[in-house]
Amino acid sequence: MYNFDEIIDRRVDKCRKWDYDYVCSRFGAVPRDFIPMWIADMDFKSPPEVIEGLRQIVEHGTFGYTYCFDEFYQAVIDFQAKQHNAHVEREWITLTYGTVSTLHYTIQAFCTEGDCILMNTPVYDPFAQAAERQKVRIIANPLAVKNNRYQLNFELLEDQIRQNQPKLYLFCSPHNPSGRIWSAEEIHRVSDLCQKYGVILVIDEVHAEHILQGNFINALNKDCAAPDNLILLTSPNKAFNLGGLKTSYSIIPNEALRSRFRQRLEKNSITSPNMFGVWGLIYAYNRGLPWLKALNQYLAENERYLYQFMSERLPTLKMMRTESSYLAWVDVSATGMSAYDFTHQLAHETGVVVEDGTHYVQNGENYIRINFGTPKALIEQAMARLEEFVQRRCCIKR
C-alpha cells in the first residue's frame, strides 16, 4: 500500500539534508553523488492522507491567519490516548513552533542567568545550545554503557541534583541519539528525584512514534512521572516527516507551570499557528496511523540490516540496537580514528555523510550517528562505500 522503496529526488527540495552547497558548508567538499545520512529527516513522502489534506487547502487558495481550533486539540487528545494510552486534558496543551525553539522558551521561562540545568549525555545538542544561549550552566550526567546499551546512573544523578540544585532536568525519552527506550521504572525514579529536590522535569518525547523493538512508556501513563512538575514536549514532525512545518506542542498538567510557560511564549509572540502546520498535525494524527505502522515495519527492517551488516562485515564498528527512531549510534573507537576524523574523511572520500558524536554535548566522541530513515537501496549503497572505506583507511580485512 505504501512504497517506502521509492527514491525521491530531494535535491530539488532545498532541504538541508540533500542540498549540496549546504552539506559542503558543514562537512567540507564531498563528491557530487553523495549519500546524506546525517540530519534527522526521512527520505519518504509524508502520508498520502496528509498530502491530500494539504492539497485541498492549497486548491482552496486562501491562507489567512488561523488559531488553535477545536480539531487541533481533539486530534492531540485522541492521538495520545490511542497511541500511548495517555490521558490529556485540553487545557494542558499549548501550541509551539518546533521543539528546539520550545527548549529555548522553556529555559527562558524557568531559569535566570547563572542557574543550571541537568541533562544526560550524550544527548541532542540543542539541549545544550538552549542553555548556553541563555547563559545557563549545564550539568552533564554521563550515561553508562552496559552490554552495549545505555543505563542511567541514579546515584550520580542524585548527587548532582543535591549539589547543584538545577532548575530543570531535560530528559530525552526515547533517547536521542541512541534510540534507547526508558522503562516505566526508570522514568518513575527520575520523576521521584525531581520531586524530592524541587526540579522541573522536562521530557522530550519527539521520537516516541518510531518504536522498532520493545514498548515505549509515555510519561503521562499512570504511575510513571508525577504530573505536578512535568513539562512534556512532542510533535508530529519526526513521526510523519513534517519537520519543515515547524509545529509542535507542550503538555503541562500543572496550572502554575503552564501559566508561566505561556507568559514566556506571549512575550515572544508565539500565539497562533502556521496554517499548514496545524492542519498537517490534524491530518497526520487523525488519518496517518496506518502509514506510521507500515513505516515502522520498514524502519525495523532497515535497522536489522544495518546491525547485521556491521556485525558480520565491519566488526570494528559497534552499533547499539536502535529500539526507537531511525538513527543508529555506532562506536568507531576500535578503528583507531576519532569520530570527527572518521565522519569527515568518510564524507570527503566516499560521499557518505553521517554525524559525529561530538555534536551531542559530551561523551559521544567515539560515536557516529547514521540516519537509516531512507530507502533500503540507498542504505545498501552507503554500506558498500563504508565497508570499502574502513578496509582501506583502517587496514581491516574480512
Side-chain angles (χ1 to χ4, degrees):
M1 183 176 180
Y2 305 109
N3 182 15
F4 299 112
D5 287 320
E6 179 185 3
I7 296 179
I8 303 163
D9 184 4
R10 299 200 63 203
R11 292 170 295 182
V12 302
D13 289 1
K14 291 296 181 183
C15 64
R16 283 183 278 172
K17 183 179 183 182
W18 279 91
D19 187 86
Y20 180 77
D21 291 336
Y22 189 89
V23 169
C24 288
S25 74
R26 287 287 304 268
F27 296 92
V30 300
R32 283 283 178 178
D33 64 344
F34 71 102
I35 303 175
M37 305 179 79
W38 61 293
I39 192 170
D41 178 353
M42 294 187 292
D43 295 319
F44 312 115
K45 290 182 180 179
S46 291
E49 296 84 359
V50 173
I51 295 170
E52 178 57 29
L54 295 181
R55 180 182 290 116
Q56 292 175 14
I57 292 175
V58 171
E59 290 176 352
H60 185 68
T62 58
F63 313 113
Y65 301 115
T66 188
Y67 62 101
C68 289
F69 41 88
D70 290 345
E71 291 91 335
F72 165 79
Y73 291 105
Q74 198 60 50
V76 171
I77 291 167
D78 292 346
F79 180 82
Q80 291 293 334
K82 184 181 297 183
Q83 187 75 354
H84 300 306
N85 193 33
H87 173 75
V88 177
E89 300 285 348
R90 176 185 170 122
E91 61 267 24
W92 299 356
I93 305 166
T94 304
L95 170 86
T96 52
Y97 294 169
T99 304
V100 171
S101 59
T102 307
L103 291 168
H104 287 69
Y105 303 138
T106 303
I107 292 173
Q108 291 171 11
F110 298 102
C111 299
T112 58
E113 185 176 329
D115 285 339
C116 68
I117 64 172
L118 177 70
M119 61 189 71
N120 307 109
T121 55
V123 75
Y124 186 46
D125 205 40
F127 278 31
Q129 293 169 356
E132 291 163 351
R133 289 169 181 167
Q134 318 310 321
K135 297 183 179 180
V136 169
R137 189 163 52 96
I138 297 165
I139 305 300
N141 175 263
L143 294 170
V145 180
K146 296 181 180 178
N147 299 320
N148 202 31
R149 190 169 186 256
Y150 279 130
Q151 305 290 335
L152 291 162
N153 184 336
F154 285 100
E155 290 185 7
L156 176 60
L157 191 60
E158 182 164 14
D159 286 343
Q160 290 176 314
I161 293 174
R162 185 190 308 111
Q163 293 171 15
N164 295 281
Q165 299 181 333
K167 293 294 180 66
L168 307 174
Y169 180 179
L170 303 188
F171 186 69
C172 200
S173 175
H175 178 249
N176 178 10
S178 74
R180 166 74 151 85
I181 297 175
W182 307 111
S183 68
E185 180 184 1
E186 288 168 322
I187 298 171
H188 185 75
R189 290 183 68 182
V190 164
S191 177
D192 282 352
L193 284 174
C194 288
Q195 281 201 302
K196 180 178 179 180
Y197 292 100
V199 180
I200 299 171
L201 177 59
V202 182
I203 298 187
D204 173 357
E205 291 193 353
V206 165
H207 287 277
E209 316 314 336
H210 296 304
I211 304 304
L212 310 186
Q213 47 191 319
N215 296 301
F216 170 73
I217 304 298
N218 181 280
L220 294 168
N221 286 177
K222 185 179 179 182
D223 298 325
C224 195
D228 56 329
N229 65 331
L230 175 66
I231 297 175
L232 191 152
L233 306 179
T234 190
S235 83
N237 296 341
K238 289 294 184 286
F240 300 97
N241 219 25
L242 303 176
L245 298 184
K246 293 292 183 181
T247 299
S248 61
Y249 57 95
S250 68
I251 299 174
I252 308 176
N254 181 280
E255 183 178 0
L257 293 183
R258 189 168 65 246
S259 175
R260 188 167 171 181
F261 176 78
R262 288 177 175 173
Q263 287 172 15
R264 171 52 58 177
L265 296 186
E266 289 170 1
K267 287 181 179 179
N268 289 279
S269 193
I270 310 301
T271 55
S272 62
N274 172 292
M275 170 185 281
F276 291 100
V278 71
W279 277 111
L281 179 149
I282 292 167
Y283 293 136
Y285 277 4
N286 288 350
R287 308 177 187 176
L289 282 179
W291 178 91
L292 181 62
K293 181 179 179 180
L295 172 64
N296 285 343
Q297 293 172 348
Y298 190 89
L299 293 175
E301 287 298 322
N302 281 356
E303 192 273 346
R304 281 190 284 271
Y305 171 80
L306 267 185
Y307 185 80
Q308 184 175 358
F309 188 98
M310 292 187 195
S311 298
E312 295 177 357
R313 303 176 69 165
L314 293 170
T316 54
L317 305 187
K318 191 175 183 181
M319 174 179 158
M320 289 187 179
R321 295 310 303 261
T322 308
E323 298 168 0
S324 68
S325 84
Y326 45 87
L327 306 165
W329 191 237
V330 183
D331 185 345
V332 300
S333 58
T335 66
M337 303 173 68
S338 70
Y340 178 87
D341 288 341
F342 188 100
T343 55
H344 282 72
Q345 292 179 25
L346 178 68
H348 299 166
E349 295 178 22
T350 75
V352 176
V353 181
V354 300
E355 285 192 285
D356 75 87
T358 59
H359 295 162
Y360 297 89
V361 187
Q362 294 180 24
N363 311 113
E365 296 81 2
N366 292 327
Y367 289 84
I368 62 173
R369 195 185 77 165
I370 302 175
N371 178 346
F372 56 85
T374 197
K376 188 176 180 182
L378 290 179
I379 297 175
E380 291 172 341
Q381 293 176 36
M383 289 304 100
R385 297 186 193 185
L386 176 62
E387 182 179 24
E388 189 275 333
F389 170 80
V390 171
Q391 290 177 339
R392 183 179 70 253
R393 299 290 302 191
C394 308
C395 302
I396 302 297
K397 294 182 179 180
R398 263 195 267 163

